[in-house]
Amino acid sequence: MASVPVEESDGRGSMWDLDQKLDQPMDEEAGRIRNMHCEKKFSSLLLLRLAFQSLGVVFGDLGTSPLYVFYNTFPRGVGNGEDVIGALSLIIYSIILIPLLKYVFVVLRANDNGQGGTFALYSLLCRHAKIRTIPNQHRTDEELTTYSCRTYDENSFAAKLKHWLEAHTYKKNAVLILVLIGTCMAIGDGILTPAISVLSASGGLKVNHPNISNGVVILVAVVILVGLFSLQHYGTDRVSWLFAPIVLLWFLLIGSIGVFNLCKYDSSVLKAFNPVHIVRYFKGGHKNLTSLGGIMLSITGADVLFSDLCHFPVLAVQIAFTFVVFPCLLLAYTGQAAYIIQHQDHVFDAFYRSIPDGIYWPMVIIATAAASIASQATISATFSIIKQAAALDCFPMVKVVHTSKKFLGQIYIPDINWILMILCIAVTAGFKNQSQIGNAYGTAVVIVMLVTTLLMIPIMFLVWRSHWMLVLFFTALSLLVELTYFSAVLFKVNEGGWVPLVIAAAFLLIMFVWHYGTVKRYEFEKHSRVSIAWILGLGPSLGLVRVPGIGFVYTDLASGVPHIFSHLITNLPAIHSVVVFVCVKYLPVYTVPVDERFIVKRIGTKSFHIFRCVARYGYKDLLRKHDDFEKMLFDSISVFVRLEAMMEGYSDSDECAFSAQQNAKSIDLLEAGYMDTLGSIMEVKNTSSQDSIPVQSSHQGSSVTRSSAPTSQITSEELDFLNRCKEAGVVHILSNTMVRARRDSNLVKKIAVDYVYAFLRRICRDNSVMFNLPHESLLNVGQIFYV
């Protein structure tokens, strides 16, 4: 833990600067830990094993695209064989440019310590530029081992770009809205991927049995989808070991079938590797231009490839794609094209008709399994996206369930799961064909890709410090492909492309209104907070009767006294003997190590018995049911008291620096065993004496031997006092701030604040549930704030 220096302490004295003396070795270790994900070395055998495992997690969506690409490219039939060659040429070079070059070899490197997706890119930007719309970060947050950021030469382009982004609020809001658009489209992807994948796989039943009606195929697909979503709460921990072998078998089979069709039907399709056929295809007129929406489906899954990166090494994913996925996909599309040229009337179900009779039914089963695995990957990615959005104050807090004891990242969100299932079934049963679902799917994916490209521009400048020529080349090449496909899907808006736009608009409304309300609540607390001087002026009794017990006052502020506390003590004649201001905040990092999570600070002198405790979490961190948050807070305060007393021997108000002998004495004390039982980094700060001392601590609450008997006695008395207060009773005081629109506000604002935000506040989980606080110990303080 480390103390939070606040503005009120500035200018009241000097603080000991011990971190540079005592913690130099820890700084070096922190640097190694911070870059662990980038620098960790893997043996060749382990790397191959991880590459194999990544097949079942990362590439399912991209691998099932051959089920429906040609059907959606030629929904009205094939005009001539040259169109097939041109479409195949576009597919080949689209896979080369977007999944291979853009995502596998560039975008994957922009992961946030193994985490991918739109919010991971946003987190990287927030650490390198102050663009968060809720400015609750402190400079001590940058000292986390997982908080990596760079400094820039003031004259560099990166520094100018950083200052430009930070200069105005509207620029920060523009970046946030761009991120939210990409996030909402990714959620739409989580709805459409299961629909098109499972429906396409189920279509194999009708190919071998033409008498089966389309309604039966849809019914089978709906049954599979219901089963898939119903099993989500069990997690995939027990069956995930099957995913990689099934997907690997799928890729090998579609690649082998492609070679078979290439040799059997028409090997001349290999001329599609000549890009001149792309030019000829575009000369085909408006019909060929609109068919790009179907060709674009060949690269769907590239966005999920980045979102589902998890903790696989980038090199392992690159190996798996380069040596397995990429060649098998090219062979599969080439083989299908060879079959379609000879059987142009079979374009609607070319995948299944091109399968040799001997392995037809096994392929149907494996295709269904691969489609289910691809759907599982996108559903899991959607859960992760919602969790990240909630952590960054862009979505209401919802119930999150851990589905694995081994892997923290495997989560399940019941409310979102059933919403996804209902929407997915509605899309499957409502459209009843792959073409319209494909149009919707393509619209969602291409917008996610465009957002990723735009976010990569500041990432390359600020994080990677790339040369502007490289950034320009990457941006131009990506936008050339993606804007071309985007213009094509615009023609399909009235043919199903409107679905992801409506879904995204609904989620965007929820996210924006929730974030707007959260920002206004934070601004209200910040502007109405009470100064520390006001508290100190009341004296140790705060002008009230101090009754035995501990009062945890929850606030969004990491400094100052929250307004609810002043409201409380001006309306009640008594307050608890120990008061702790608790701030729980999420930082733009994927995780905060447990031993760096809590920051404790004393407010006033010891006689006040007032503390501040800041609990820091990353967007992947979760509080489990068995986590006793109340105990964690109390243990942190107890350890703080011990360490504060231990460091008092170093205080001297007349000095500003330690001598070499004092520094040696400090190290001797550390080596003597006073900190043997303590394990996390903590910086103890006393407001009255201005001592700032980083030491090692833990939340175990174990005793510490002291050489100074008087100090030890004082420490023991305060610890006994804390324990007696805990036994007397603990109360958690929470703010229930209601946000309302002013009477003179416009109609849109009144609807957004008074109805939409108020409804979201009622249905979301509050802090008492999130932190598993006992219901009988809660005290809500109501406030109304008008915006």
Side-chain angles (χ1 to χ4, degrees):
M1 294 183 296
S3 72
V4 180
V6 295
E7 293 112 6
E8 287 82 6
S9 64
D10 291 343
R12 294 191 181 185
S14 303
M15 297 192 304
W16 296 120
D17 188 13
L18 297 183
D19 25 345
Q20 295 182 355
K21 298 180 180 180
L22 297 180
D23 278 359
Q24 284 182 351
M26 292 302 296
D27 292 340
E28 183 179 353
E29 181 66 14
R32 288 199 295 267
I33 296 175
R34 187 180 297 116
N35 299 313
M36 178 179 60
H37 184 79
C38 301
E39 298 177 357
K40 189 173 182 179
K41 302 297 182 181
F42 298 91
S43 65
S44 299
L45 186 61
L46 179 58
L47 200 60
L48 292 176
R49 180 182 174 186
L50 292 172
F52 167 70
Q53 292 176 349
S54 69
L55 290 172
V57 177
V58 178
F59 299 107
D61 191 8
L62 190 63
T64 53
S65 297
L67 287 169
Y68 44 78
V69 168
F70 278 110
Y71 168 70
N72 286 275
T73 303
F74 302 107
R76 297 178 180 83
V78 178
N80 55 72
E82 187 61 32
D83 286 346
V84 178
I85 299 296
L88 177 61
S89 186
L90 273 168
I91 291 171
I92 291 171
Y93 284 98
S94 295
I95 294 175
I96 292 174
L97 292 176
I98 302 300
L100 180 63
L101 296 182
K102 176 186 173 181
Y103 276 93
V104 173
F105 287 104
V106 179
V107 175
L108 287 189
R109 293 180 55 240
N111 67 86
D112 184 14
N113 288 278
Q115 305 301 318
T118 307
F119 269 111
L121 296 178
Y122 183 62
S123 297
L124 280 175
L125 284 179
C126 288
R127 295 207 299 270
H128 290 79
K130 296 178 181 179
I131 60 173
R132 285 200 68 181
T133 51
I134 300 181
N136 63 347
Q137 288 181 236
H138 194 270
R139 59 178 177 272
T140 55
D141 298 333
E142 300 178 8
E143 298 172 5
L144 290 170
T145 53
T146 53
Y147 196 109
S148 58
C149 59
R150 293 175 177 267
T151 57
Y152 312 100
D153 182 359
E154 286 298 322
N155 296 323
S156 65
F157 180 79
K160 295 177 181 178
L161 176 62
K162 177 178 180 292
H163 295 322
W164 183 82
L165 288 172
E166 296 173 348
H168 300 94
T169 303
Y170 76 88
K171 297 174 185 176
K172 301 177 183 179
N173 290 332
V175 175
L176 178 64
I177 291 175
L178 181 66
V179 171
L180 293 183
I181 291 174
T183 302
C184 294
M185 284 298 174
I187 295 173
D189 191 1
I191 296 169
L192 296 168
T193 297
I196 192 170
S197 299
V198 173
L199 184 60
S200 300
S202 303
L205 299 173
K206 190 175 181 181
V207 173
N208 210 32
H209 293 81
N211 295 329
I212 295 179
S213 65
N214 195 44
V216 174
V217 174
I218 293 174
L219 180 61
V220 171
V222 169
V223 170
I224 294 174
L225 289 172
V226 171
L228 180 66
F229 283 99
S230 299
L231 295 174
Q232 288 298 312
H233 68 282
Y234 292 107
T236 59
D237 199 24
R238 296 181 180 179
V239 296
S240 58
W241 62 274
L242 288 172
F243 289 178
I246 291 174
V247 175
L248 176 61
L249 181 61
W250 166 258
F251 278 117
L252 294 178
L253 285 174
I254 63 174
S256 301
I257 293 172
V259 174
F260 172 81
N261 291 329
L262 193 62
C263 298
K264 182 178 179 179
Y265 295 109
D266 191 352
S267 60
S268 65
V269 295
L270 293 175
K271 62 185 179 182
F273 282 88
N274 185 348
V276 71
H277 293 280
I278 297 177
V279 179
R280 295 175 182 174
Y281 186 77
F282 281 124
K283 291 181 179 180
H286 178 75
K287 182 187 71 172
N288 287 353
L289 179 62
T290 56
S291 70
L292 290 176
I295 296 173
M296 193 263 164
L297 297 179
S298 63
I299 57 176
T300 55
D303 56 321
V304 179
L305 180 152
F306 181 47
S307 300
D308 284 339
L309 180 61
C310 298
H311 286 286
F312 289 107
V314 172
L315 183 57
V317 177
Q318 292 173 340
I319 291 173
F321 185 87
T322 305
F323 295 101
V324 178
V325 179
F326 180 62
C328 289
L329 284 178
L330 293 188
L331 290 173
Y333 287 118
T334 305
Q336 279 192 59
Y339 178 85
I340 292 172
I341 287 180
Q342 298 297 322
H343 307 84
Q344 296 186 9
D345 55 332
H346 292 172
V347 68
F348 303 111
D349 41 32
F351 177 83
Y352 283 111
R353 289 188 179 275
S354 64
I355 298 174
D357 294 337
I359 60 171
Y360 180 80
W361 286 111
M363 277 300 296
V364 173
I365 296 173
I366 295 173
T368 304
S372 300
I373 292 172
S375 303
Q376 174 63 49
T378 56
I379 294 170
S380 299
T382 304
F383 291 156
S384 180
I385 288 170
I386 295 294
K387 170 64 181 67
Q388 294 176 17
L392 296 176
D393 298 309
C394 295
F395 200 83
M397 286 292 181
V398 290
K399 182 180 181 180
V400 179
V401 179
H402 293 271
T403 60
S404 173
K405 295 181 179 180
K406 299 179 181 178
F407 305 103
L408 185 63
Q410 293 186 8
I411 60 175
Y412 163 68
I413 303 179
D415 299 334
I416 300 300
N417 181 69
W418 303 125
I419 292 174
L420 292 180
M421 186 187 76
I422 293 171
L423 293 175
C424 189
I425 292 174
V427 169
T428 304
F431 284 133
K432 299 181 181 180
N433 68 80
Q434 299 175 27
S435 180
Q436 289 182 318
I437 300 177
N439 294 336
Y441 188 26
T443 304
V445 172
V446 73
I447 293 177
V448 174
M449 291 181 175
L450 282 170
V451 170
T452 302
T453 299
L454 295 177
L455 290 177
M456 282 298 297
I457 296 173
I459 289 288
M460 295 178 76
F461 278 122
L462 298 179
V463 182
W464 295 350
R465 298 185 182 182
S466 302
H467 193 275
W468 68 269
M469 288 292 290
L470 291 175
V471 179
L472 180 62
F473 177 76
F474 169 82
T475 306
L477 197 60
S478 299
L479 292 180
L480 174 65
V481 178
E482 292 161 3
L483 287 178
T484 302
Y485 282 128
F486 181 69
S487 64
V489 299
L490 290 178
F491 292 104
K492 303 288 186 177
V493 170
N494 62 337
E495 299 178 17
W498 56 271
V499 172
L501 300 179
V502 172
I503 294 173
F507 277 96
L508 183 62
L509 175 65
I510 293 172
M511 289 184 173
F512 186 79
V513 169
W514 180 262
H515 186 74
Y516 175 81
T518 304
V519 170
K520 292 302 179 183
R521 287 180 66 242
Y522 178 81
E523 291 177 350
F524 167 72
E525 286 207 28
K526 183 178 179 180
H527 294 149
S528 61
R529 66 182 176 179
V530 181
S531 67
I532 296 294
W534 180 75
I535 291 291
L536 299 179
L538 296 176
S541 67
L542 301 180
L544 305 169
V545 177
R546 301 294 293 266
V547 298
I550 300 178
F552 290 107
V553 183
Y554 290 80
T555 174
D556 292 332
L557 301 176
S559 62
V561 179
H563 181 263
I564 62 166
F565 183 72
S566 62
H567 178 69
L568 189 67
I569 64 177
T570 53
N571 289 276
L572 292 179
I575 196 64
H576 299 89
S577 298
V578 177
V579 176
V580 182
F581 299 117
V582 181
C583 172
V584 180
K585 65 178 182 179
Y586 286 86
L587 303 178
V589 295
Y590 77 102
T591 186
V592 175
V594 176
D595 53 2
E596 301 179 52
R597 179 151 295 160
F598 291 93
I599 301 175
V600 178
K601 170 186 186 264
R602 186 188 295 277
I603 296 179
T605 61
K606 291 184 179 181
S607 58
F608 281 78
H609 299 296
I610 301 178
F611 303 88
R612 184 188 309 284
C613 184
V614 179
R616 304 178 293 182
Y617 290 86
Y619 56 79
K620 295 288 286 188
D621 290 330
L622 288 171
L623 277 168
R624 302 192 183 192
K625 286 185 177 180
H626 63 265
D627 291 339
D628 192 338
F629 189 70
E630 179 183 299
K631 183 178 184 300
M632 293 163 64
L633 291 174
F634 183 80
D635 289 348
S636 299
I637 295 169
S638 299
V639 172
F640 170 85
V641 171
R642 292 191 189 92
L643 295 175
E644 180 189 46
M646 184 187 305
M647 294 298 114
E648 280 180 350
Y650 303 124
S651 300
D652 189 345
S653 58
D654 297 329
E655 300 289 340
C656 297
F658 259 21
S659 66
Q661 292 179 347
Q662 289 172 314
N663 189 32
K665 178 182 178 182
S666 303
I667 297 174
D668 290 339
L669 285 172
L670 293 174
E671 294 176 348
Y674 293 121
M675 266 74 89
D676 287 348
T677 61
L678 307 175
S680 63
I681 297 176
M682 180 179 185
E683 184 181 343
V684 181
K685 179 178 177 182
N686 186 301
T687 306
S688 60
S689 60
Q690 284 79 41
D691 294 336
S692 178
I693 305 174
V695 292
Q696 298 283 327
S697 71
S698 76
H699 310 301
Q700 304 301 321
S702 57
S703 61
V704 180
T705 305
R706 289 298 315 270
S707 59
S708 174
T711 306
S712 178
Q713 183 179 357
I714 295 173
T715 303
S716 178
E717 290 176 355
E718 185 167 14
L719 289 175
D720 290 341
F721 177 76
L722 289 174
N723 286 318
R724 289 197 305 270
C725 290
K726 181 182 179 183
E727 293 173 358
V730 175
V731 176
H732 299 272
I733 304 170
L734 290 85
S735 171
N736 187 18
T737 304
M738 306 298 293
V739 181
R740 292 286 184 268
R742 293 192 178 94
R743 292 183 179 180
D744 57 348
S745 301
N746 57 57
L747 181 62
V748 175
K749 186 175 183 179
K750 287 182 178 180
I751 294 175
V753 175
D754 293 345
Y755 295 96
V756 179
Y757 181 74
F759 173 74
L760 294 175
R761 284 274 294 173
R762 284 196 297 270
I763 65 174
C764 77
R765 291 163 66 89
D766 57 25
N767 287 337
S768 63
V769 179
M770 297 300 295
F771 303 137
N772 303 310
L773 303 179
H775 184 72
E776 62 275 8
S777 301
L778 298 180
L779 174 62
N780 281 289
V781 180
Q783 299 177 104
I784 298 179
F785 168 56
Y786 292 92
V787 296

